[in-house]
């Protein structure tokens, strides 16, 4: 009987430790702020890939007043947004699309039109400054599994000067 109680206590302790570790990995216990306001990051990131190794990693979030937004991290783009993490708000688009919109050089800029219904099925189109044509993207579960909303958010904070750069102390 004593052995059973000890085993049960040990099992519960291990379960609690693993649960706490998992909560830390998923960001469940962390608090995130954007422009001084509390946000809730999604549990999982999204990612889109396009021709020429273009990748857009997406960290969806909700604000305290339940508005949707996302931080987009651009990679493989020949232009000024390569490697940049940029905050976007989500707006409904035409044909069931979701528009990712940010402010760029004093005006609204629709960067990503995701999930737009068309004759060829759903499409995802990327528009970035100084890139002449739209970039067609496809959702990528594989690329999404290689990142997390917390990692994308931390990169955004680094670029805003709120966190030290990799290998640097603040």
């Amino acid at each position: 009987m004593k052995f059973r109680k000890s085993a049960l206590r040990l099992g519960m302790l291990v379960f609690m430790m693993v649960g706490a570790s998992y909560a830390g990995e998923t960001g469940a216990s962390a608090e995130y702020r954007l422009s001084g306001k509390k946000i809730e990051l999604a549990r999982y990131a999204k990612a889109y890939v396009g021709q020429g190794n273009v990748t857009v990693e997406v960290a969806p979030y909700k604000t305290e007043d339940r508005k949707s937004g996302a931080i987009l991290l651009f990679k493989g783009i020949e232009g000024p947004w390569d490697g940049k993490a940029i905050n976007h708000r989500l707006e409904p688009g035409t044909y069931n699309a979701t528009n990712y919109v940010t402010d760029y050089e004093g005006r609204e800029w629709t960067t990503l039109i995701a999930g737009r219904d068309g004759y060829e099925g759903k499409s995802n189109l990327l528009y970035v400054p100084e890139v002449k044509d739209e970039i067609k993207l496809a959702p990528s579960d594989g690329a999404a599994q290689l990142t997390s909303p917390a990692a994308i958010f931390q990169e955004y904070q680094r670029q805003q000067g709120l966190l030290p750069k990799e290998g640097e102390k603040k």
Side-chain angles (χ1 to χ4, degrees):
M1 189 70 160
K2 284 184 180 183
F3 176 74
R4 247 189 211 170
K5 283 185 181 179
S6 296
L8 184 58
R9 285 185 184 143
L10 180 62
M12 289 179 70
L13 178 63
V14 168
F15 178 77
M16 288 170 40
M17 290 172 60
V18 168
S21 170
Y22 179 73
E25 288 175 11
T26 61
S29 62
E31 183 175 298
Y32 300 96
R33 293 196 168 272
L34 192 61
S35 302
K37 297 178 182 175
K38 186 176 176 183
I39 62 167
E40 182 182 335
L41 289 175
R43 186 179 200 119
Y44 300 104
K46 295 179 183 180
Y48 298 90
V49 296
Q51 190 171 7
N53 294 322
V54 170
T55 305
V56 180
E57 297 176 1
V58 180
Y61 66 82
K62 294 240 185 241
T63 61
E64 288 177 299
D65 55 358
R66 308 311 297 160
K67 290 184 180 172
S68 296
I71 296 173
L72 276 58
L73 177 59
F74 303 92
K75 297 179 180 177
I77 295 171
E78 296 293 331
W81 281 17
D82 188 39
K84 299 288 186 202
I86 300 173
N87 188 28
H88 288 71
R89 61 190 171 278
L90 275 58
E91 297 179 356
T94 58
Y95 302 105
N96 297 317
T98 300
N99 292 345
Y100 292 75
V101 181
T102 193
D103 295 319
Y104 178 70
E105 294 186 348
R107 65 184 182 97
E108 286 191 345
W109 183 277
T110 301
T111 307
L112 175 62
I113 300 173
R116 185 176 183 180
D117 291 330
Y119 294 114
E120 298 174 9
K122 292 200 177 281
S123 64
N124 306 287
L125 304 172
L126 180 66
Y127 299 91
V128 292
E130 297 183 30
V131 175
K132 182 179 167 186
D133 296 319
E134 67 191 22
I135 300 170
K136 292 180 182 175
L137 300 174
S140 173
D141 291 339
Q145 290 176 354
L146 297 175
T147 190
S148 70
I152 298 166
F153 185 75
Q154 287 174 349
E155 180 57 30
Y156 174 79
Q157 288 182 308
R158 269 189 213 94
Q159 291 180 15
Q160 298 299 309
L162 302 171
L163 287 178
K165 292 189 165 95
E166 294 277 333
E168 196 179 90
K169 291 183 181 179
K170 191 165 186 172

